[in-house]
Amino acid sequence: MRGLLVTGTDTGVGKTVVSAALLAAMGAEGEGVAAFKPAVSGLDEEPDGGWPADHELLGRETGQAPAEVAPYSFGPAVSPHLAAELGRIRIEPERVLALARAAGAQRTLVVEGVGGLLVPLTTTFSVCDLAVELGLPLVVVARPGLGTISHTLLTVLHARSRGLDVRGVILNRWPEPAGAMERSNRTTIERGAGVEVTTLTELHGPDPRALAAAGAALPWKSWLGGG
Ligand SMILES: Nc1ncnc2c1ncn2[C@@H]1O[C@H](COP(=O)(O)OP(=O)(O)OP(=O)(O)O)[C@@H](O)[C@H]1O
Ligand SMILES: [Mg+2]
């Protein structure tokens, strides 16, 4: 399957923004694209300053309905395994896998994870297990500032311990101009993880053209091609 799984060091780091930017840039270059997110939670929360819910924003970039992007959606802002338990719903890993594979059968698939890499979708099936089963390479979205070195290296090293191919790290909400700490974090992660670290700057909102421009600056062709 041609595609990427976008994971992150934490919830709220920018996986949806990066995924939407990648889909917009790929679409603009004529790639047939599909998005998938195994589960969305937190739909009870107030919308975040003009940014729509994950499955809605991703679906906007691909022409998919939100429910097609995310087969499970939950109100409470908690881990999917708990949200499902509270809603007396069973997340079925086999269903998640079948839907993701169907979405990516004919198109380049961008899967957005949920929270960080080890977030449980069920008590026995994590986002990391999903990446392993789908055989998709990873990109890791991380913060540019204090605390990011260890979170990012832990994520990359764990992914590799499971045999996953980490193609890139994206430091999101990169400040322009960047300070000495952010620049140092970038080279430290590059050296420690042995992976290319790129950046994505602050956007003013979910404008499709701004997302496409941000995505065009990311090396998605080499990430997809493995080069
Ligand atoms: N590059 C950016 N420019 C401007 N705002 C951003 C950017 N990246 C993230 N944000 C802000 O941070 C919020 C969280 O980002 P995003 O939804 O992409 O995180 P996430 O990792 O997908 O979170 P979740 O774990 O909930 O899926 C966005 O709704 C937006 O308000
Ligand atoms: Mg998200």
Side-chain angles (χ1 to χ4, degrees):
M1 190 156 53
R2 177 175 167 84
L4 296 167
L5 187 140
V6 179
T7 187
T9 52
D10 197 358
T11 184
V13 288
K15 296 180 301 295
T16 305
V17 173
V18 167
S19 300
L22 289 171
L23 289 163
M26 290 171 182
E29 291 232 5
E31 290 261 339
V33 285
F36 187 76
K37 167 132 184 160
V40 181
S41 52
L43 295 178
D44 288 347
E45 303 287 299
E46 287 292 311
D48 174 12
W51 292 87
D54 295 22
H55 52 340
E56 204 180 309
L57 182 60
L58 299 179
R60 257 188 221 179
E61 297 297 341
T62 61
Q64 294 163 282
E68 198 189 328
V69 174
Y72 297 96
S73 54
F74 303 105
V78 297
S79 172
H81 80 292
L82 175 58
E85 193 183 311
L86 296 172
R88 298 180 189 281
I89 286 166
R90 256 172 50 87
I91 293 180
E92 291 169 29
E94 290 312 321
R95 177 166 180 248
V96 169
L97 289 167
L99 290 170
R101 289 184 181 122
Q106 310 288 339
R107 294 169 291 183
T108 300
L109 183 66
V110 174
V111 177
E112 183 192 337
V114 184
L117 190 60
L118 288 180
V119 161
L121 299 173
T122 76
T123 51
T124 56
F125 188 71
S126 67
V127 172
C128 190
D129 295 325
L130 174 67
V132 169
E133 292 292 334
L134 293 177
L136 285 174
L138 296 191
V139 293
V140 178
V141 183
R143 296 190 175 86
L146 190 63
T148 199
I149 296 172
S150 185
H151 285 144
T152 308
L153 295 180
L154 283 168
T155 302
V156 172
L157 296 183
H158 183 77
R160 289 203 184 122
S161 80
R162 295 289 310 275
L164 292 166
D165 181 0
V166 181
R167 298 265 163 94
V169 168
I170 302 116
L171 297 181
N172 182 40
R173 310 189 84 164
W174 183 254
E176 294 285 5
M181 177 181 61
E182 288 86 4
R183 286 184 277 118
S184 171
N185 285 346
R186 183 177 183 172
T187 51
T188 304
I189 291 168
E190 222 149 27
R191 201 169 44 231
V195 69
E196 185 185 11
V197 179
T198 53
T199 63
L200 199 152
T201 54
E202 189 76 14
L203 305 176
H204 295 299
D207 171 52
R209 274 173 305 179
L211 284 167
L218 296 172
W220 59 266
K221 285 179 193 160
S222 72
W223 291 343
L224 283 176

